Amino acid sequence: NKLVIGNMRVIIEYDPWGRLGNRMFQYAFAYLLAEKFNCELFYREGLPNFGIEPKPVDRLQTNVLKARSLGDQHFDFDAIKDFDGDIILDSFVQQSKYYINNRDTLRKIFGIRDLDTINKDSLVLHVRGGDYHQLKQFLGLDFYKGLIDSSGFSKVKIVTDDPKCETVANLLEYGCELETSSQGPDFNIIGDRSAMDDMKTLLYSENLAISQSSFAWWPAFLGTHKKIIFPYSLTLDTQSWPLDPKHDDIDLYFDINGSSSKYINKS
């Protein structure tokens, strides 16, 4: 049931460092929040790849609450139950519990079509490079080789934003195939044509092994897949998602019809 609270409005403030996948999280959560409380949703920038045009607000109200004050990934609904004013959605809110029961709605707002499955009997591996090297979040060759060896797939295709990196070259020597539109790590903040082509490949492929990337998570979540492999770590490094996430950690694992599993890096 929808709740109605006075003059509450939801206004997206995109993180300037957030790329397409992060923006999709901010838009999706803000959309669902506005739906839940039956209030208006505003945003200065749209998501043109999904036909979502800008809807800016003229001025803020007197009462303003920034979602990031409640957590980067966690949102406290109790904190706004009596709130009357503007909620600025400036956090990423990357926890699957907020989205899993709204998958059909999100498929609709992002315009996902039911198309034939591609890359049947292959594992499509997403290798996120680019800025992940500088951020020390790159999973690395040993991680990917271990995942491939444990996956049970003899045919592996790579989708990546960094096709010329050394790890991709080594994976090609390891027997993988390159199936990507990206020519290099340069990117458009809202996703260029090559990024969208890669997202469609991930969306409609039968089996996925995603990186710890929101860009890869969204097609995994919005598509219909036979198998999805998520990257996790037993250690406290920043490379993989934590196997035991805390209250405000990213927690994006989901399992639809027994399709998902976790590849755990034990090193």
Side-chain angles (χ1 to χ4, degrees), residues 34 55 62 88 92 121 174 190 221 224 247 257:
K55 186 183 176 184
T62 302
I88 308 297
F92 289 133
D121 301 320
Y174 199 59
I190 57 174
F221 180 68
T224 303
H247 182 66
N257 298 324

Side-chain angles (χ1 to χ4, degrees), residues 40-65:
E40 286 193 272
L41 171 63
F42 296 93
Y43 37 93
R44 183 180 296 116
E45 300 174 71
L47 292 173
N49 291 313
F50 300 99
I52 299 171
E53 299 297 327
K55 186 183 176 184
V57 65
D58 292 334
R59 65 180 65 182
L60 296 179
Q61 299 184 79
T62 302
N63 293 330
V64 175
L65 173 67

Side-chain angles (χ1 to χ4, degrees), residues 163-174:
K164 298 178 182 178
C165 76
E166 183 179 0
T167 292
V168 170
N170 287 328
L171 288 173
L172 296 181
E173 292 182 0
Y174 199 59

Side-chain angles (χ1 to χ4, degrees), residues 22-190:
N22 289 330
R23 290 183 174 220
M24 290 176 71
F25 269 109
Q26 290 189 271
Y27 182 85
F29 187 82
Y31 181 96
L32 296 173
L33 187 65
E35 283 282 296
K36 178 179 179 66
F37 290 99
N38 196 29
C39 62
E40 286 193 272
L41 171 63
F42 296 93
Y43 37 93
R44 183 180 296 116
E45 300 174 71
L47 292 173
N49 291 313
F50 300 99
I52 299 171
E53 299 297 327
K55 186 183 176 184
V57 65
D58 292 334
R59 65 180 65 182
L60 296 179
Q61 299 184 79
T62 302
N63 293 330
V64 175
L65 173 67
K66 290 207 168 189
R68 188 157 277 179
S69 68
L70 306 175
D72 287 332
Q73 317 299 342
H74 169 75
F75 189 86
D76 185 356
F77 290 98
D78 289 337
I80 65 168
K81 63 181 181 180
D82 297 316
F83 185 76
D84 192 354
D86 290 336
I87 299 175
I88 308 297
L89 201 290
D90 59 342
S91 54
F92 289 133
V93 204
Q94 296 184 18
Q95 295 188 8
S96 61
K97 66 182 181 181
Y98 298 124
Y99 309 100
I100 191 69
N101 293 328
N102 298 285
R103 182 172 173 272
D104 289 342
T105 297
L106 295 173
R107 280 175 55 88
K108 183 176 180 180
I109 68 169
F110 287 126
I112 304 303
R113 294 183 295 165
D114 291 321
L115 300 179
D116 292 339
T117 300
I118 60 175
N119 292 318
K120 294 184 178 181
D121 301 320
S122 297
L123 179 67
V124 175
L125 174 69
H126 182 249
V127 177
R128 172 69 181 271
D131 60 337
Y132 271 28
H133 293 284
Q134 290 73 42
L135 295 172
K136 301 187 184 303
Q137 294 178 334
F138 186 63
L139 292 174
L141 179 62
D142 290 342
F143 182 94
Y144 287 119
K145 288 176 67 176
L147 188 155
I148 291 168
D149 290 344
S150 67
S151 71
F153 287 89
S154 58
K155 190 171 185 179
V156 178
K157 299 184 178 182
I158 297 172
V159 169
T160 180
D161 64 339
D162 201 358
K164 298 178 182 178
C165 76
E166 183 179 0
T167 292
V168 170
N170 287 328
L171 288 173
L172 296 181
E173 292 182 0
Y174 199 59
C176 300
E177 299 177 26
L178 189 63
E179 183 166 327
T180 195
S181 296
S182 176
Q183 299 300 310
D186 293 338
F187 67 91
N188 182 312
I189 195 73
I190 57 174

Side-chain angles (χ1 to χ4, degrees), residues 210-243:
I210 67 173
S211 62
Q212 77 296 27
S213 160
S214 56
F215 178 87
W217 186 87
W218 275 108
F221 180 68
L222 296 174
T224 303
H225 307 284
K226 187 175 180 180
K227 186 175 184 63
I228 305 170
I229 303 173
F230 291 76
Y232 279 83
S233 176
L234 288 176
T235 65
L236 298 177
D237 60 41
T238 61
Q239 290 180 299
S240 303
W241 286 324
L243 189 60

